[in-house]
Amino acid sequence: ALQDETIIVVLGASGDLAKKKTFPALFNLFRLNLLPKATRIIGYARTKMDNKGFHEKIADFLKEGDKSESKKAKEEFLKVCTYLPGAYDEDEAFKNLNKEMEKIEKEGSSKTTNRLFYMALPPNVFTVVAGGLKRNCYVEDGNNRIVIEKPFGKDLESSREMMGELKKLWKEEETFRIDHYLGKEMVKNLLMLRFANPFVDSGLNSNLVDNVQITFKEPFGTEGRGGYFDEFGIIRDIQQNHLSQVLSLLTMERPVSFSAEDIRNEKTKVLRYVPPIKEEDVLIGQYAAANGKPGYKDDDTVPKDSNCPTFAALTLWVNSPRWQGVPFILKAGKALDEAKVEIRIQYKEVTKGLFKDVPRNELVIRIQPNESIYLKFNAKKPGLQMESIPTELNMTYKERLEDFRIPEAYEALILDALQGDHSNFVRDDELDVSWAIFTPILHAIDQGKIKNESYEYGSRGPQSLNNFIGRYGYRRDNES
Ligand code: BG6
């Protein structure tokens, strides 16, 4: 249940993530009356600013709702947000933060003390801030929660090291590791789609499915983020976390219940069936200048000889009884021809002999934009001949539903964290298993053993992509 009188501290409050995601999400929860009553929000960062300066900084990003309502809500929201400048590595600064919180708590009438620390911070200060908070801002007889976000290390070893350090300070039940894809409406929908529709779930197996593609495409490059990106690359940025989460929710067995541990047990279990990716199952690419747009290496913060992939297609094999032999192609790329995240399940061609040229079934779950679920299937063309029409069972949200709102991922996740619900957060062992799948090829790429194929900014990706996915039976001819 939601606690009353909660203090949310956003650390890194002057940074991009806080401004663009954390505060707008908090504002929407506030505006919709979903935050615990008497919530107070403290922005904390190194930049020296007063409350007014801070409010000006975040105000432009608080947008939703109709205008008049939004203006009033915004004023009310800013009243509960204050700012406190402070260092990340000094106990004195955290003591000061603690005093500030105690002052607020004294004014209130709550029986419990609830503190949520949201770290919108670069990874190099995670551990030191987690330590400062634990020593100075932890209440023994209250609820203390810490929210952190990737990157959680760079490979299995560094992730273990970082998580090990954190674990000395914060218990697993106090730690909320965000993967914001788990807060997305259509990702959460996977559990409903599969387990509330037995006919869908019973068709998800190697008897019927030929191949699955999970695709992330963005139409812009890494301009302005090159420094960060070059150290990580697309696989650490997207596949190891966001697409693996989608994969595990799509392939796991039915959980005993919707409890956080039951769900995460199943997710972790299915990922344990996935062996490390082999070099032959990897295609990487890097975008080059085209269509008036700069290439990846034109960014001054990127080394001229960088072998960092901005595109990757990886084939994973889930060796569980249900999925053995079915290729799962996880594709992700920056600077491509469109913005699209989707799951595409292509079924086997089993109608040969009876029908000529009847396309195979395909189930598509469009995660964003234009959220939808559609199934390509075949019906008889009305008339006296036996001819087929390929058609669709289509649940496009915009067409089928009136008056709906798709919440931002961060809204869903912050609310979960406030309720102490871990279902949509990454458990430590889950993180470990997913790193184990990707670490060997990440090392091979870092050592230059796998080379990038160049692709044009604004294209569909490297030229050999068609061959790469064609190897696994995927046919593009009926893609919409
Ligand atoms: C982040 C990545 O985790 O996800 C970014 O670091 C990427 O590179 C972003 O752009 C995509 O998120 P969304 O919600 O826009 O699909």
Side-chain angles (χ1 to χ4, degrees):
L2 280 178
Q3 269 101 23
D4 57 0
E5 303 203 358
T6 296
I7 299 181
I8 301 173
V9 182
V10 180
L11 298 119
S14 61
D16 246 28
L17 176 68
K19 207 165 60 185
K20 291 190 184 144
K21 299 285 184 191
T22 321
F23 279 98
L26 285 167
F27 170 61
N28 277 333
L29 293 173
F30 178 85
R31 178 177 78 76
L32 300 167
N33 271 325
L34 293 169
L35 286 182
K37 76 175 160 36
T39 294
R40 292 284 299 269
I41 301 167
I42 303 177
Y44 183 96
R46 282 178 305 197
T47 317
K48 296 230 155 36
M49 263 189 289
D50 57 10
N51 285 341
K52 192 161 164 276
F54 179 61
H55 290 171
E56 277 164 15
K57 208 173 164 68
I58 59 171
D60 280 350
F61 293 87
L62 315 175
K63 276 202 187 101
E64 267 199 58
D66 73 57
K67 268 212 177 114
S68 55
E69 176 208 348
S70 167
K71 185 161 178 277
K72 196 162 159 274
K74 215 155 134 172
E75 282 165 15
E76 294 294 313
F77 177 70
L78 291 176
K79 272 190 215 151
V80 305
C81 295
T82 52
Y83 182 78
L84 185 72
Y88 293 139
D89 55 356
E90 289 167 15
D91 280 319
E92 274 317 302
F94 289 112
K95 285 201 171 89
N96 194 25
L97 172 62
N98 190 47
K99 258 192 227 138
E100 192 72 19
M101 288 190 286
E102 282 175 346
K103 210 161 72 193
I104 296 171
E105 282 154 1
K106 253 186 218 133
E107 285 166 14
S109 57
S110 179
K111 288 198 190 69
T112 52
T113 311
N114 305 297
R115 296 179 173 185
L116 180 93
F117 301 100
Y118 189 108
M119 306 226 272
L121 291 168
N124 58 337
V125 294
F126 275 178
T127 335
V128 58
V129 171
L133 289 171
K134 181 67 198 285
R135 285 191 300 277
N136 303 293
C137 301
Y138 189 93
V139 275
E140 287 304 333
D141 52 351
N143 286 301
N144 304 274
R145 291 175 180 149
I146 191 163
V147 179
I148 54 172
E149 187 152 4
K150 79 163 168 70
F152 306 131
K154 290 189 71 181
D155 55 12
L156 180 58
E157 201 190 340
S158 52
S159 161
R160 275 191 182 157
E161 198 182 302
M162 179 178 171
M163 291 307 132
E165 287 299 309
L166 275 178
K167 228 175 238 187
K168 289 185 204 148
L169 303 159
W170 293 81
K171 296 187 210 99
E172 183 66 18
E173 64 264 30
E174 295 169 334
T175 308
F176 293 78
R177 293 179 201 86
I178 285 200
D179 181 312
H180 80 285
Y181 267 59
L182 288 175
K184 287 195 187 268
E185 185 64 26
M186 294 305 280
V187 175
K188 290 167 80 175
N189 203 354
L190 284 170
L191 291 180
M192 183 69 79
L193 179 67
R194 292 187 56 199
F195 302 117
N197 299 300
F199 89 93
V200 173
D201 193 53
S202 58
L204 291 178
N205 60 63
S206 59
N207 289 333
L208 291 182
V209 175
D210 187 273
N211 68 82
V212 178
Q213 286 197 57
I214 305 177
T215 304
F216 168 100
K217 293 170 92 177
E218 264 180 357
F220 42 84
T222 56
E223 298 95 346
R225 266 180 103 205
Y228 152 81
F229 196 85
D230 203 70
E231 245 192 84
F232 292 88
I234 196 79
I235 300 174
R236 292 181 175 97
D237 196 44
I238 306 290
Q239 273 109 332
Q240 181 271 329
N241 34 68
H242 305 327
L243 300 193
S244 295
Q245 286 294 342
V246 173
L247 174 76
S248 63
L249 286 167
L250 181 71
T251 55
M252 70 181 206
E253 292 305 320
R254 180 173 138 168
V256 178
S257 78
F258 277 147
S259 79
E261 297 327 317
D262 281 343
I263 293 175
R264 298 188 299 176
N265 285 345
E266 292 303 334
K267 283 168 65 190
T268 309
K269 182 169 173 200
V270 78
L271 286 185
R272 289 177 55 207
Y273 280 110
V274 182
I277 301 164
K278 294 202 205 83
E279 288 187 23
E280 71 213 44
D281 283 335
V282 177
L283 168 69
I284 54 172
Q286 192 184 75
Y287 66 87
N291 308 313
K293 296 288 175 71
Y296 175 68
K297 283 194 278 225
D298 294 331
D299 189 327
D300 286 343
T301 55
V302 170
K304 291 291 162 254
D305 58 348
S306 167
N307 185 44
C308 171
T310 60
F311 175 97
L314 312 169
T315 306
L316 277 68
W317 303 91
V318 181
N319 291 332
S320 67
R322 186 198 275 253
W323 288 111
Q324 191 141 19
V326 178
F328 288 81
I329 304 173
L330 271 49
K331 277 188 292 168
K334 301 258 173 197
L336 295 178
D337 57 336
E338 58 180 340
K340 184 160 96 177
V341 182
E342 68 170 29
I343 305 169
R344 187 172 287 265
I345 299 157
Q346 236 183 18
Y347 292 90
K348 286 187 174 157
E349 264 175 301
V350 285
T351 57
K352 271 193 188 142
L354 198 52
F355 296 106
K356 259 197 284 159
D357 296 333
V358 172
R360 41 182 161 180
N361 293 132
E362 216 168 283
L363 176 64
V364 180
I365 301 152
R366 172 68 73 86
I367 295 173
Q368 65 189 39
N370 196 16
E371 291 76 2
S372 50
I373 302 166
Y374 55 94
L375 173 69
K376 296 186 174 199
F377 79 116
N378 301 296
K380 184 184 164 312
K381 194 170 181 177
L384 299 173
Q385 289 100 331
M386 195 58 172
E387 276 176 38
S388 71
I389 20 175
T391 180
E392 282 173 3
L393 293 175
N394 191 335
M395 157 73 178
T396 295
Y397 281 49
K398 270 202 284 217
E399 286 161 21
R400 300 294 294 224
L401 304 175
E402 277 168 35
D403 201 23
F404 69 98
R405 170 179 180 270
I406 298 206
E408 280 290 324
Y410 286 92
E411 292 169 26
L413 296 176
I414 292 172
L415 201 58
D416 284 349
L418 287 167
Q419 285 169 326
D421 181 353
H422 277 88
S423 322
N424 293 314
F425 293 87
V426 187
R427 202 166 66 186
D428 56 348
D429 54 343
E430 193 182 350
L431 181 63
D432 227 67
V433 194
S434 84
W435 272 122
I437 299 169
F438 293 89
T439 294
I441 52 140
L442 284 168
H443 286 170
I445 295 170
D446 293 346
Q447 290 155 12
K449 286 190 195 143
I450 309 176
K451 293 272 182 275
N452 278 303
E453 185 177 319
S454 160
Y455 63 97
E456 287 190 353
Y457 197 122
S459 69
R460 295 179 80 137
Q463 295 274 320
S464 19
L465 177 62
N466 279 352
N467 284 346
F468 182 85
I469 55 183
R471 256 165 60 194
Y472 300 108
Y474 177 73
R475 250 188 10 203
R476 179 170 266 170
D477 49 20
N478 60 354
E479 185 174 344
S480 71

